[in-house]
Amino acid sequence: MTAAPERPLTDHLPTLDGLRGVAVLLVMLTHLSLTDAAPMLEVAKNAIRAGYLGVDIFFVLSGFLVTRILRADWARGRTLGRFLWRRSLRIFPAYYLLLAVLLVVAPGSYLLPCLLYVSNITDAMHEELTHPMRHAWSLAIEEQFYLLWPAVFYLVGDRRGRWIAWCVMPCIALLTLAFILWLSRDGRDLGAWVYRLPLTRLLSLSLGCSIAFLEPWLRERRSRMFLTAMACAALGAFMLLLGARYGKTTSGTLGTVGFSLVSTWAVLTAMWLHTAGPLLRAIL
């Protein structure tokens, strides 16, 4: 007798909406100057690198939520085209409307990379340039992920897809980080590439994908999710502390791993709070 195929979970997790709000606040906080109004908060936000953490949480959430949807669509026999169409309706109209407005009020060559979702690459190549869409690098990484990962998932299927998320994608990210470290051995500052290269950020995205595949197993017992979250927090904190001892590029590569793990801890903790909700309400 063969085991019944695993059904992906599709229930709404409101705690993840709350975490998304926290991530938005962290990014907004980074762009506020609080030196005069709240100097202690200014020190705190710089110490934890609030914006970096906020963006990284978004990457882990994207990997998790997109893979969750892909697994549900795959189980129901829905097509890849349907998934891509729905994602495009969520992103393209507002984004391209903004670019159209900027074409009128702030024209410039920066608009073409934004139009093609490669501004993360061009911004890393020309870090000294400023333009109104410097923040679009993270959206470019998201879109590159949306175009590639669903196609790979539908090509290999759910069962093989989990091994790609667990093994292949993290290995690609870690090898890319190691290669950047090797290139920086002569003192070159490659921090912009560590920050904006899609292959380095693939680690956070793949961790989010991995959570989606592990979710049924994790939610069988709340202790599993809690202990996994704590392990990610401990390892992430260790990598961040280790990175703080070295130069900018080395610190950036170690920090990329550290923040990916801390962001994974944040997502797992939000999920644990959702599953532990009834128990917490009973205690309180």
Side-chain angles (χ1 to χ4, degrees):
M1 180 180 295
T2 58
E6 178 187 272
R7 297 294 297 180
L9 301 177
T10 58
D11 59 318
H12 178 62
L13 304 177
T15 51
L16 294 186
D17 296 334
L19 180 60
R20 188 183 289 112
V22 170
V24 171
L25 290 175
L26 288 172
V27 173
M28 293 176 63
L29 190 64
T30 298
H31 295 284
L32 292 176
S33 178
L34 302 170
T35 304
D36 296 326
M40 293 300 295
L41 187 56
E42 178 75 14
V43 172
K45 79 170 188 182
N46 293 331
I48 66 170
R49 297 190 65 185
Y52 194 111
L53 179 59
V55 170
D56 212 69
I57 288 173
F58 271 114
F59 287 146
V60 177
L61 279 172
S62 292
F64 171 67
L65 295 173
V66 166
T67 304
R68 214 174 188 243
I69 296 170
L70 286 171
R71 297 194 70 211
D73 286 354
W74 175 269
R76 294 168 182 168
R78 294 172 177 169
T79 64
L80 173 62
R82 180 182 184 276
F83 169 84
L84 294 176
W85 173 247
R86 290 174 63 191
R87 298 307 300 181
S88 65
L89 288 178
R90 287 174 61 90
I91 299 173
F92 289 172
Y95 182 69
Y96 286 126
L97 176 61
L98 173 61
L99 292 185
V101 172
L102 288 173
L103 182 62
V104 175
V105 301
S109 58
Y110 71 92
L111 288 170
L112 182 58
C114 292
L115 181 73
L116 300 176
Y117 286 102
V118 293
S119 60
N120 57 321
I121 303 298
T122 55
D123 284 355
M125 293 172 62
H126 307 286
E127 194 177 9
E128 72 285 354
L129 297 179
T130 59
H131 57 77
M133 291 293 286
R134 288 285 291 188
H135 60 281
W137 69 269
S138 59
L139 185 60
I141 290 177
E142 297 261 9
E143 191 60 30
Q144 291 156 13
F145 172 72
Y146 290 156
L147 290 175
L148 291 176
W149 170 235
V152 170
F153 178 87
Y154 266 82
L155 180 65
V156 303
D158 184 86
R159 188 173 298 276
R160 292 178 180 174
R162 70 184 61 200
W163 290 107
I164 291 176
W166 290 342
C167 302
V168 177
M169 289 197 289
C171 285
I172 291 174
L174 292 174
L175 287 173
T176 302
L177 289 169
F179 182 63
I180 290 175
L181 272 179
W182 180 78
L183 289 178
S184 66
R185 68 193 186 283
D186 58 356
R188 281 185 292 176
D189 180 9
L190 299 175
W193 290 100
V194 175
Y195 192 70
R196 293 182 176 87
L197 198 65
L199 293 181
T200 59
R201 294 311 186 110
L202 187 60
L203 182 59
S204 298
L205 292 162
S206 67
L207 287 171
C209 297
S210 299
I211 296 174
F213 286 113
L214 288 171
E215 184 183 9
W217 178 80
L218 289 170
R219 287 175 63 175
E220 281 181 3
R221 297 180 183 176
R222 283 190 292 267
S223 59
R224 289 177 181 171
M225 192 174 297
F226 180 80
L227 292 174
T228 304
M230 292 302 103
C232 288
L235 186 56
F238 172 75
M239 296 300 294
L240 290 173
L241 290 173
L242 188 64
R245 297 183 56 188
Y246 296 97
K248 187 174 181 181
T249 300
T250 303
S251 177
T253 54
L254 294 173
T256 297
V257 179
F259 275 107
S260 297
L261 290 166
V262 171
S263 299
T264 303
W265 161 80
V267 172
L268 287 170
T269 300
M271 293 171 63
W272 179 83
L273 289 172
H274 172 77
T275 59
L279 176 61
L280 292 175
R281 285 194 294 269
I283 295 173
L284 298 175

